[in-house]
Amino acid sequence: MSTGPSHVVAAILHLGNINFDKGSDVDSSQLKDEKSCNHLNTAAELLMYHTETFVHCRFSLWFHVHSSSMCYPRCDGKTLENSLCKRLIVTPDGNITKPLDPDAAALNRDALAKIVYSRLFDWIVDKINSSIGQDPLAKNIIGVLDIYGFESFKVNSFEQLCINLTNEKLQQHFNQHVFKMEQEEYTKEEINWSYVDFVDNQDVLDLIEKKPGGIIALLDEACMFPKSTHETFSQKMYQTYKSHKRFSKPKLAHTAFTINHYAGDVTYLSDQFLDKNKDYVVVEHQALLNASKCPFVANLFPPIAEETSKQSKFSSIGTRFKQQLQALMESLNATEPHYIRCVKPNAVLQPGIFENDNVLNQLRCGGVLEAIRISCAGYPTKRTFDEFVDRFGILAPDLVDGADEKATCAAICNRMGLKGYQLGKAKVFLRAGQMAELDARRMEVLANATKLIQRQIRTHLTRKEFNKKRKASIQIQKFWRAFLARKLYESMRREDASICIQKHTRSHAARKRYTKLQSSALIIQTGLRAMAARSDYQYKRRTNAAVVIQTHWRFYKARSAYNVQKKATLIFQCIWRGRLGRKELRKLRMAARETGALREAKDKLEKKVEELTWRLEVEKHMRNELEQAKGQEIAKLQTALQEMQEKLDEAHKTIICEKEAARIVIEQEPTIDNEIPDMDNATLVLLTSHNKQLEDEVRQLTIFKDKADEFELKHAEAQKKVEALLKDKEEHSSKISQLQELIERLEMNLSGLESENKVLRQQALVISTNEDFSEQVKSLETKTNTSESENQLLQNERGVVLQSNNISESVEPSTIKGLDNKDIDEEPKTRRKENHEALMKCLVEYKRFENKTPSVACVVYKSLVHWHSFEAEKTYIFDRIIRTIRSSIENQKNIGDLAYWLSTTSTLLFLLQKNLKASNASVTGSHRSRATAETLFSRMARNARSSSSILGISSGYSGLLPKSEGPSRIEAKYPALLFKQQLTAYVEKIYGMIRDSLKKEISPSLTMCIQAPRFARARSIRGASKSILSNIVAKQASSVHWQSVVHSLDCVLNIFNENYVPPMIIRKTFSQVFAFVNVQLFNSLLLRRECCSFSNAEFVKAGLQELEQWCTRTTEQFTGTSWDELQHIRQAVGFLVLHQKSQKSLEDIRDEICPVLSIPQIYRIGTMFWDDKYGTQGLPQDVISEMRTTVTDETSNNTPNNCFLLDDDSSIPFSLGDILRLGFEVNLDEVELPPHLQQNSEFHFLLQRHSKD
């Protein structure tokens, strides 16, 4: 049964591939082509016959098994074709068969596919419900209803109306249920309460589903009329509901209407309402599928009653949906519902982002705010007596011990001055805000108790610290005395150790000399023994070689003697037999001198003797060759064939030689005119039999040769297949390696902050461009300073902790927090501000490169690492750097300065991306601080004390803190991550400014490059000299504009190389600029007919050759795939300068000449082409007609008319992962400092590594 649904789905897919065409009769249809016939037969087989029979039939056809005793059923595709192309009309006089046109047949096909799919879906749902195993006798059930919620899109159709109707029903049920719960709880507790009104949406439900008069009822009525359209349906709705407050018509709309739902207004388009509401069941389809031999399909279509056997039966989707919704509401009303509201926090599908407006809109649409309003109108806070006493008993501790909890709760509320509360049987009901008031009072009591506990604990800690110091002083004295004793012991130990070392040194030297002498003796012995062994081995080897040579030489001599003897024997036998034959011939001639009647027989016998003689010799040679060939192996078949072929050729040559020799001998013999007697018949029969045997052997050799040729052909084909498989294997292995490299790159790109790059990058630009940011920072600094001073005053009430200069670098944050001297606090701040100013001055003025790297980027990065700015919760150095970069590039038009800043910012970004990693706290903090700038500053102001206590004096300056040896990558806080995103945004901005400036510079030249000058296209008339001169001037004028483009590219490339911009960024820049050139030239070519001439195409082609030469000269390191970006204009120009356009077909143009161009683009160029130089014809008319048909079909499918134009891509073509793969070799220790930083002692930490070296 598992194959039944899959076969039905396959049949539905095959039905969708059936196409119809006009038939021979009027208003008739037939299958379009053979492909449609195949799909029809396959669908009929899948639907009309049993699964096992269908599979068996298919496999029988595949293996070509034909049996007369087995008969398989033939798939009845003709019946299915008649049911699709014809319609049976039942009349009182009889049945009438009506043919259908192609459109009606397509609708009939779609109706069949829909009804089969609907029945299959219902069957699957029934199977799932039955497999759940619900007990039908169960009294209680738990059901889960999952619905997406209210829907409002740009285009809303019949599906959105049904879903929103369901939400209206569920919202009404939700409001009634919430109000009922509140009412039941108030009644249960027996308190005084008043009725609370809530919004009722019954009028919207009546507008949609009321019968008669509702939208669904009007839709069913319109579907019953064959001539109804969506315009008539819309006009009827406008007339019927024009005064309804929930229904409105949009302006200038003919088929749209708006319904005011509980969640807002939704505008629906009624263009497809009629088609989506109709559900026709064709009786012919029902009867055909019911008669199927497949049990699964027959069960899906049970027989229908007699009274319903008409042409078709109308069924409304809306009515069925309303009935199912009513049954659902009855089930919900019979159960106790519980609601779970799912809220989508953001629209970008990322964690940690909470959009307030979006969430509030969802709560309002879901009715949650309305439910809260109903709850707040009564008593929103409810607590049981024991919970209330446990939480707020500390407000009246004298009343807690009472036995009556209700009285205790009333006393606590009265003492706190609460009004309007009520006491039920088991709960306390409080008005809105009263719970917060009680919590505030409770926090005051807890705060006072906390202060008392802190006072006692601080006393205990001070006493404990004093005792600890006293014990420490005693311990220091003990350690000092122990140190002196250890020092004396160490000197005595050193003296004893020196004596021991001398003893062991002398013994080691003696042992070393003995070991060296022993090893030398062993080496000499080893060499002598090896030499003797080698000489013995060489003697044995030579002896064996001599024996082998003698064996082969003796074998060769014996074989040569045997061959010579054999050859001599054969020659002697031939000579002896020839001699006997000649003697016999002389005898016969002497006996037949007087007979002249047998002269003719004599000649024939002589010829036969000659033939028998050389055939006998051939037979002997062939026998010897066959005996030798029988001993060879079958695996060397091809070598044996070649040897036999050579021997056969030698046999032919031998026969020819023997024949010539016999002819010469016969000619030399004296001619005898006597008659020859009859030859011995036995000898003649023997020679004839030998001749036949030889002919049979020659025939077998010929057959064997043919088989050898076939074997060679098969071997060649197998070799080709093996080579093809090897090539496929190499391609697959290369693809696998590429995929592995891609996976490794993707794994490298997965860092802690990659999921929030886009959001932080947008916020970075907004925050960095805020004009009021500096004022907010200043106000925040003042608030932070005041909070720190207050904290220090509170901490220093117990005493003053002095700090010595010797241990200033090892002070912990808890000790730094206790500083009381304001001068010590102000001094680091002033020093920090001076250091920041010096660093900003270096960033702006010091433009120098070390080892192809901007020095200032390394200086800034090392300073930030030394100051622990990346690990700080708050710092202002990042904002100073961003403002400095922004002020330097604003309104900057010099590409050289922009290239310097691009190199500096990209290098700094590379260092950050390589050495920083995000911590969990920074990610959480970044998510919480994204909402607004006010939230960020308020949180920083609130956490000023906690930040100062954690980081010490300040997070932006860490000169007093020790430089910890941490891991290779620094855990960055949120300011550092935000700084990295701001820096990324400015790298992209500077890159875009340089790219757009280059595009703007070459745009005028590109406008002149697309069209050749007029005198370059004019033909010379007045002589050859003027013609040559005009051609020279035309070439010079045409190359000026292209040379200006190349000059601009060279200038930008030189600027990039002078500022050591990374090659990856240079490649991306030129790739996008070349893509811009491609778009400009190609669009101009398509829009201007004067540009589509032969001479103009030659002019553009010459310019493109200059660009190609520039790419070759510049090398692939800086150009990359820039030349490939010009594919459209290159192929278009190549098509225009083609001389044999009239002999090309559309397939040749699309596959060979213009594979990148689309059909509309080729059609545009082909129709606009004109040859102003040779006057040749363009494309043939049949190709243009074929392209016009294709373009018309695409236009009818709602394709825009300007689809042949290209769009310029202005996006940023690289990411943070590409920055990380730049391959910088940055050595931070070899950077030379600016003079003003070398004179500043605060920056001497940058020279520490040089001093060590």
Side-chain angles (χ1 to χ4, degrees):
M1 185 60 72
S2 61
T3 58
S6 60
H7 283 192
V8 173
V9 172
I12 294 172
L13 296 177
H14 281 289
L15 285 174
N17 293 330
I18 298 174
N19 297 319
F20 299 96
D21 200 355
K22 291 183 179 181
S24 59
D25 298 335
V26 179
D27 294 335
S28 63
S29 60
Q30 62 181 4
L31 296 179
K32 187 175 182 180
D33 49 12
E34 187 66 24
K35 187 177 180 181
S36 299
C37 292
N38 294 334
H39 287 296
L40 179 69
N41 293 329
T42 305
E45 291 174 357
L46 291 170
L47 290 175
M48 299 304 295
Y49 295 103
H50 194 269
T51 305
E52 296 179 355
T53 304
F54 171 71
V55 173
H56 190 242
C57 182
R58 285 292 183 184
F59 274 94
S60 298
L61 292 175
W62 178 264
F63 289 106
H64 300 281
V65 177
H66 300 283
S67 177
S68 60
S69 61
M70 184 179 295
C71 182
Y72 299 106
R74 184 178 179 272
C75 298
D76 194 1
K78 191 64 178 180
T79 306
L80 181 59
E81 181 181 359
N82 292 334
S83 64
L84 294 178
C85 298
K86 297 178 183 180
R87 179 65 54 81
L88 184 64
I89 301 175
V90 180
T91 61
D93 297 335
N95 297 335
I96 300 174
T97 302
K98 176 186 176 182
L100 301 177
D101 57 356
D103 295 335
L107 294 176
N108 198 11
R109 174 204 62 196
D110 296 340
L112 177 58
K114 288 180 181 178
I115 189 63
V116 173
Y117 182 81
S118 176
R119 297 292 177 86
L120 178 62
F121 184 80
D122 295 339
W123 180 84
I124 293 174
V125 172
D126 292 339
K127 281 291 182 182
I128 293 173
N129 291 333
S130 62
S131 64
I132 292 174
Q134 180 179 350
D135 188 3
L137 302 177
K139 296 181 179 180
N140 298 324
I141 62 172
I142 298 175
V144 179
L145 174 62
D146 183 13
I147 187 168
Y148 178 76
F150 185 78
E151 289 188 355
S152 178
F153 304 125
K154 292 183 179 180
V155 178
N156 299 289
S157 186
F158 183 68
E159 297 86 352
Q160 283 71 37
L161 179 64
C162 294
I163 292 174
N164 293 337
L165 172 60
T166 305
N167 284 278
E168 290 283 356
K169 280 279 189 181
L170 295 177
Q171 182 64 26
Q172 186 184 36
H173 184 268
F174 172 74
N175 291 337
Q176 293 176 355
H177 178 67
V178 171
F179 178 72
K180 185 177 180 181
M181 289 175 59
E182 290 287 333
Q183 181 181 4
E184 288 178 354
E185 188 171 6
Y186 294 161
T187 305
K188 180 180 178 181
E189 295 292 332
E190 296 180 358
I191 63 173
N192 297 326
W193 61 283
S194 59
Y195 181 79
V196 181
D197 295 332
F198 62 93
V199 179
D200 189 9
N201 57 349
Q202 185 61 39
D203 52 351
V204 180
L205 296 175
D206 294 340
L207 173 64
I208 298 174
E209 66 175 355
K210 186 177 180 181
K211 187 175 182 180
I215 293 177
I216 295 178
L218 288 179
L219 182 60
D220 293 343
E221 182 181 352
C223 291
M224 295 297 291
F225 293 99
K227 295 186 179 180
S228 295
T229 60
H230 53 275
E231 287 89 357
T232 58
F233 170 65
S234 301
Q235 294 300 326
K236 192 169 184 180
M237 282 196 302
Y238 296 155
Q239 294 176 4
T240 305
Y241 309 120
K242 61 183 178 180
S243 60
H244 201 286
K245 63 179 181 180
R246 294 281 191 168
F247 184 88
S248 62
K249 174 189 175 185
K251 294 182 179 180
L252 302 177
H254 298 287
T255 60
F257 61 93
T258 303
I259 297 177
N260 183 13
H261 291 280
Y262 74 92
D265 294 341
V266 180
T267 301
Y268 301 94
L269 291 178
S270 63
D271 291 344
Q272 298 180 355
F273 269 42
L274 297 179
D275 296 334
K276 293 181 179 179
N277 191 43
K278 292 178 182 180
D279 187 16
Y280 285 104
V281 180
V282 181
V283 178
E284 289 85 343
H285 299 166
Q286 175 73 26
L288 179 64
L289 297 176
N290 184 29
S292 174
K293 295 181 181 179
C294 179
F296 180 77
V297 178
N299 291 333
L300 292 180
F301 293 88
I304 59 177
E306 293 294 335
E307 58 272 8
T308 60
S309 60
K310 298 181 181 180
Q311 178 182 355
S312 61
K313 180 182 177 182
F314 173 73
S315 177
S316 172
I317 298 296
T319 303
R320 288 169 56 190
F321 181 80
K322 187 170 67 173
Q323 293 173 358
Q324 294 176 2
L325 181 60
Q326 186 63 30
L328 174 63
M329 298 308 298
E330 291 176 358
S331 300
L332 291 178
N333 292 328
T335 58
E336 181 183 357
H338 297 274
Y339 296 91
I340 298 175
R341 295 287 183 176
C342 299
V343 179
K344 185 178 180 182
N346 57 73
V348 294
L349 303 178
Q350 292 184 1
I353 303 174
F354 196 80
E355 298 177 355
N356 295 332
D357 296 337
N358 188 13
V359 173
L360 183 62
N361 187 24
Q362 294 181 51
L363 294 176
R364 185 180 292 110
C365 294
V368 179
L369 297 181
E370 183 66 17
I372 295 173
R373 185 189 67 80
I374 295 173
S375 179
C376 290
Y379 298 93
T381 306
K382 298 175 281 293
R383 292 288 186 275
T384 59
F385 292 150
D386 54 350
E387 292 178 354
F388 190 82
V389 172
D390 290 340
R391 183 172 180 82
F392 300 107
I394 61 176
L395 299 178
D398 53 338
L399 301 176
V400 175
D401 297 333
D404 190 1
E405 292 182 348
K406 184 174 183 181
T408 303
C409 294
I412 293 173
C413 293
N414 293 329
R415 181 173 292 186
M416 295 297 103
L418 301 181
K419 296 180 181 180
Y421 69 91
Q422 290 197 29
L423 300 176
K425 289 183 177 182
K427 292 183 180 180
V428 179
F429 293 86
L430 301 178
R431 291 287 186 182
Q434 291 181 350
M435 178 62 74
E437 185 178 353
L438 291 175
D439 287 334
R441 298 286 184 88
R442 179 174 174 272
M443 291 302 296
E444 290 179 1
V445 175
L446 292 176
N448 294 329
T450 304
K451 291 178 181 178
L452 179 61
I453 294 171
Q454 288 178 353
R455 184 168 67 246
Q456 297 296 331
I457 290 176
R458 287 172 182 170
T459 303
H460 172 71
L461 292 176
T462 305
R463 187 181 296 109
K464 186 177 180 181
E465 185 178 0
F466 171 74
N467 294 329
K468 186 178 180 181
K469 288 182 178 179
R470 186 176 64 180
K471 292 180 181 179
S473 62
I474 295 172
Q475 192 75 9
I476 289 171
Q477 292 176 0
K478 181 177 69 174
F479 287 157
W480 176 251
R481 290 167 184 166
F483 172 74
L484 293 177
R486 283 193 300 271
K487 191 173 181 181
L488 179 61
Y489 170 76
E490 185 68 22
S491 63
M492 296 172 66
R493 185 182 177 189
R494 286 177 178 272
E495 184 178 358
D496 190 14
S498 63
I499 296 172
C500 184
I501 289 171
Q502 290 176 2
K503 178 181 66 176
H504 286 291
T505 302
R506 291 166 183 168
S507 64
H508 175 71
R511 189 182 300 108
K512 189 175 180 180
R513 286 194 299 271
Y514 170 76
T515 304
K516 186 175 181 181
L517 181 63
Q518 183 183 14
S519 62
S520 300
L522 290 175
I523 290 171
I524 293 171
Q525 291 176 359
T526 303
L528 293 175
R529 292 170 182 171
M531 185 171 63
R534 279 195 298 271
S535 62
D536 189 13
Y537 170 74
Q538 289 178 358
Y539 171 76
K540 291 181 180 180
R541 187 177 179 185
R542 289 175 180 175
T543 302
N544 294 332
V547 171
V548 172
I549 292 172
Q550 290 175 0
T551 302
H552 285 283
W553 173 248
R554 291 168 182 171
F555 172 74
Y556 173 75
K557 287 181 68 178
R559 187 173 57 185
S560 299
Y562 170 75
N563 291 332
V564 171
Q565 187 177 2
K566 182 179 178 182
K567 188 176 181 180
T569 303
L570 292 175
I571 293 172
F572 178 76
Q573 289 177 355
C574 292
I575 294 172
W576 179 254
R577 289 171 184 171
R579 184 177 179 182
L580 292 177
R582 283 193 294 274
K583 286 182 179 180
E584 187 69 24
L585 180 61
R586 287 194 194 96
K587 291 179 181 180
L588 293 175
R589 285 178 179 175
M590 291 297 291
R593 284 181 181 178
E594 297 178 356
T595 61
L598 299 176
R599 189 178 298 274
E600 295 178 357
K602 181 193 68 172
D603 297 333
K604 293 180 180 180
L605 289 175
E606 287 178 353
K607 291 181 180 179
K608 288 182 180 182
V609 169
E610 291 173 358
E611 289 178 358
L612 290 175
T613 303
W614 67 260
R615 284 181 182 178
L616 181 61
E617 297 297 330
V618 169
E619 181 183 359
K620 291 179 182 180
H621 287 288
M622 291 299 294
R623 284 181 181 179
N624 294 330
E625 291 173 357
L626 288 175
E627 289 176 357
Q628 293 177 1
K630 288 180 181 179
Q632 296 180 356
E633 296 179 355
I634 299 175
K636 300 177 181 181
L637 183 61
Q638 189 173 5
T639 307
L641 289 174
Q642 292 177 358
E643 292 176 358
M644 292 179 70
Q645 182 67 31
E646 292 175 358
K647 291 179 180 180
L648 184 62
D649 296 334
E650 290 176 0
H652 284 293
K653 292 179 180 178
T654 305
I655 292 170
I656 294 171
C657 294
E658 292 290 338
K659 187 177 180 180
E660 291 294 332
R663 185 177 59 80
I664 293 171
V665 170
I666 292 171
E667 288 178 356
Q668 290 177 358
E669 289 292 331
T671 58
I672 300 173
D673 297 331
N674 297 328
E675 295 180 355
I676 298 174
D678 294 336
M679 186 177 285
D680 189 5
N681 292 331
T683 305
L684 183 61
V685 171
L686 181 62
L687 292 176
T688 305
S689 62
H690 283 299
N691 188 15
K692 289 182 179 180
Q693 291 178 2
L694 291 175
E695 289 177 355
D696 293 337
E697 289 176 356
V698 171
R699 191 180 301 108
Q700 289 178 1
L701 288 175
T702 306
I703 295 171
F704 193 73
K705 182 179 178 182
D706 295 336
K707 290 182 179 180
D709 295 336
E710 292 179 359
F711 175 78
E712 290 180 354
L713 292 175
K714 291 181 180 179
H715 179 68
E717 291 177 358
Q719 253 183 348
K720 291 181 180 178
K721 291 182 180 179
V722 169
E723 292 175 356
L725 291 175
L726 290 175
K727 289 182 180 179
D728 293 340
K729 182 180 178 182
E730 292 177 356
E731 292 177 358
H732 287 304
S733 61
S734 62
K735 290 181 180 178
I736 290 171
S737 61
Q738 292 176 2
L739 289 175
Q740 290 178 351
E741 293 177 359
L742 181 60
I743 291 172
E744 292 176 358
R745 292 178 183 175
L746 292 176
E747 290 176 351
M748 292 176 63
N749 290 337
L750 289 177
S751 59
L753 291 176
E754 285 299 322
S755 60
E756 56 175 359
N757 277 340
K758 293 184 180 179
V759 177
L760 283 177
R761 194 176 298 172
Q762 295 175 359
Q763 291 184 357
L765 288 176
V766 175
I767 294 174
S768 63
T769 55
N770 193 357
E771 296 292 335
D772 299 332
F773 186 79
S774 59
E775 296 179 1
Q776 293 177 357
V777 170
K778 291 180 181 178
S779 63
L780 181 60
E781 287 179 352
T782 56
K783 292 180 181 179
T784 306
N785 294 332
T786 55
S787 62
E788 287 180 354
S789 61
E790 292 175 359
N791 190 15
Q792 291 173 1
L793 290 175
L794 290 174
Q795 292 177 351
N796 294 327
E797 289 179 357
R798 294 291 178 182
V800 179
V801 179
L802 298 178
Q803 183 183 21
S804 62
N805 294 329
N806 295 330
I807 60 173
S808 62
E809 294 182 355
S810 62
V811 176
E812 297 179 353
S814 60
T815 306
I816 296 174
K817 189 167 58 178
L819 293 176
D820 188 37
N821 192 353
K822 295 184 179 180
D823 295 334
I824 295 176
D825 189 26
E826 291 295 328
E827 183 179 358
K829 292 183 180 180
T830 306
R831 194 186 313 159
R832 179 174 68 251
K833 187 175 181 181
E834 293 175 357
N835 293 339
H836 290 179
E837 293 295 335
L839 186 62
M840 294 303 103
K841 183 178 179 181
C842 174
L843 181 62
V844 175
E845 297 179 359
Y846 190 67
K847 298 182 178 180
R848 186 173 177 178
F849 297 89
E850 295 287 339
N851 295 327
K852 299 182 180 180
T853 304
S855 301
V856 68
C858 301
V859 171
V860 171
Y861 175 75
K862 291 182 66 176
S863 302
L864 295 177
V865 171
H866 181 75
W867 292 340
H868 296 280
S869 299
F870 298 122
E871 304 170 11
E873 291 288 344
K874 63 182 184 67
T875 183
Y876 311 124
I877 183 62
F878 297 142
D879 301 325
R880 295 288 304 276
I881 295 173
I882 293 299
R883 287 201 299 272
T884 302
I885 296 174
R886 183 184 62 193
S887 61
S888 299
I889 67 173
E890 277 184 351
N891 301 325
Q892 182 63 259
K893 296 182 179 179
N894 188 2
I895 299 181
D897 294 337
L898 292 175
Y900 164 74
W901 283 109
L902 179 60
S903 177
T904 303
T905 53
S906 61
T907 305
L908 184 57
L909 181 60
F910 169 77
L911 294 173
L912 297 181
Q913 183 71 10
K914 180 180 179 181
N915 299 315
L916 296 187
K917 67 176 180 180
S919 62
N920 295 328
S922 65
V923 175
T924 305
S926 65
H927 290 329
R928 293 177 179 174
S929 60
R930 283 181 190 162
T932 56
E934 297 178 0
T935 306
L936 172 65
F937 291 116
S938 62
R939 286 190 68 245
M940 291 175 68
R942 288 199 304 269
N943 297 331
R945 294 184 181 181
S946 62
S947 301
S948 62
S949 64
I950 293 173
L951 298 175
I953 295 175
S954 176
S955 61
Y957 176 76
S958 58
L960 298 177
L961 297 177
K963 183 176 181 181
S964 60
E965 293 294 329
S968 59
R969 298 190 70 185
I970 304 172
E971 288 190 2
K973 300 296 182 181
Y974 175 69
L977 299 178
L978 183 61
F979 170 68
K980 186 177 74 171
Q981 300 302 328
Q982 291 175 337
L983 194 63
T984 304
Y986 274 100
V987 169
E988 296 177 353
K989 183 177 181 181
I990 298 170
Y991 169 83
M993 293 173 65
I994 296 175
R995 178 197 61 197
D996 297 338
S997 176
L998 181 57
K999 289 182 180 180
K1000 186 177 179 181
E1001 183 179 355
I1002 67 175
S1003 292
S1005 300
L1006 291 178
T1007 305
M1008 302 301 296
C1009 287
I1010 188 57
Q1011 188 174 3
R1014 294 183 178 274
F1015 54 82
R1017 298 196 306 265
R1019 296 184 177 180
S1020 177
I1021 300 175
R1022 296 185 177 181
S1025 60
K1026 294 184 179 180
S1027 169
I1028 296 172
L1029 181 61
S1030 63
N1031 288 333
I1032 295 173
V1033 174
K1035 290 181 179 178
Q1036 293 177 355
S1038 62
S1039 61
V1040 169
H1041 307 296
W1042 289 101
Q1043 289 176 359
S1044 64
V1045 175
V1046 174
H1047 177 69
S1048 300
L1049 297 176
D1050 285 328
C1051 291
V1052 174
L1053 179 60
N1054 293 332
I1055 293 173
F1056 281 158
N1057 292 330
E1058 290 173 0
N1059 292 276
Y1060 298 104
V1061 177
M1064 185 273 294
I1065 299 179
I1066 298 176
R1067 290 194 297 270
K1068 298 294 183 182
T1069 304
F1070 288 125
S1071 295
Q1072 286 199 329
V1073 170
F1074 271 65
F1076 171 76
V1077 172
N1078 180 59
V1079 170
Q1080 295 294 323
L1081 296 179
F1082 187 78
N1083 290 344
S1084 300
L1085 191 70
L1086 295 181
L1087 296 175
R1088 298 166 60 182
R1089 187 177 184 276
E1090 63 271 18
C1091 297
C1092 292
S1093 62
F1094 187 91
S1095 58
N1096 191 73
E1098 290 182 337
F1099 167 69
V1100 177
K1101 185 177 181 181
L1104 294 177
Q1105 290 177 354
E1106 292 188 8
L1107 291 182
E1108 184 179 6
Q1109 293 175 1
W1110 182 84
C1111 292
T1112 305
R1113 185 176 67 254
T1114 310
T1115 70
E1116 192 176 359
Q1117 180 184 6
F1118 300 110
T1119 58
T1121 60
S1122 301
W1123 178 246
D1124 296 334
E1125 299 293 337
L1126 301 174
Q1127 288 184 352
H1128 289 81
I1129 186 62
R1130 285 163 49 197
Q1131 293 182 5
V1133 170
F1135 172 75
L1136 291 176
V1137 299
L1138 186 65
H1139 290 283
Q1140 298 178 352
K1141 297 184 182 66
S1142 59
Q1143 300 178 4
K1144 298 293 181 181
S1145 62
L1146 182 58
E1147 288 76 15
D1148 296 337
I1149 297 173
R1150 291 186 61 183
D1151 299 336
E1152 298 177 1
I1153 302 174
C1154 305
V1156 178
L1157 304 185
S1158 61
I1159 293 297
Q1161 293 171 348
I1162 299 173
Y1163 175 75
R1164 180 85 176 180
I1165 296 173
T1167 53
M1168 295 176 62
F1169 169 74
W1170 57 290
D1171 192 351
D1172 58 341
K1173 189 172 183 180
Y1174 301 102
T1176 59
Q1177 297 296 326
L1179 293 175
Q1181 290 299 323
D1182 54 347
V1183 176
I1184 294 177
S1185 302
E1186 186 177 358
M1187 289 193 294
R1188 186 186 299 112
T1189 304
T1190 305
V1191 172
T1192 306
D1193 294 339
E1194 292 180 357
T1195 306
S1196 61
N1197 293 330
N1198 297 326
T1199 304
N1201 292 330
N1202 57 348
C1203 62
F1204 53 84
L1205 297 179
L1206 301 179
D1207 295 329
D1208 187 20
D1209 184 15
S1210 299
S1211 61
I1212 302 301
F1214 55 86
S1215 61
L1216 281 176
D1218 298 330
I1219 295 293
L1220 185 61
R1221 292 193 296 271
L1222 286 178
F1224 281 124
E1225 296 181 359
V1226 181
N1227 192 352
L1228 299 176
D1229 300 328
E1230 297 180 0
V1231 178
E1232 184 178 354
L1233 292 181
H1236 68 279
L1237 292 184
Q1238 293 179 359
Q1239 298 174 3
N1240 193 345
S1241 62
E1242 295 295 331
F1243 289 88
H1244 284 178
F1245 63 89
L1246 299 173
L1247 300 173
Q1248 290 179 1
R1249 183 60 61 87
H1250 289 291
S1251 63
K1252 290 180 181 181
D1253 295 334

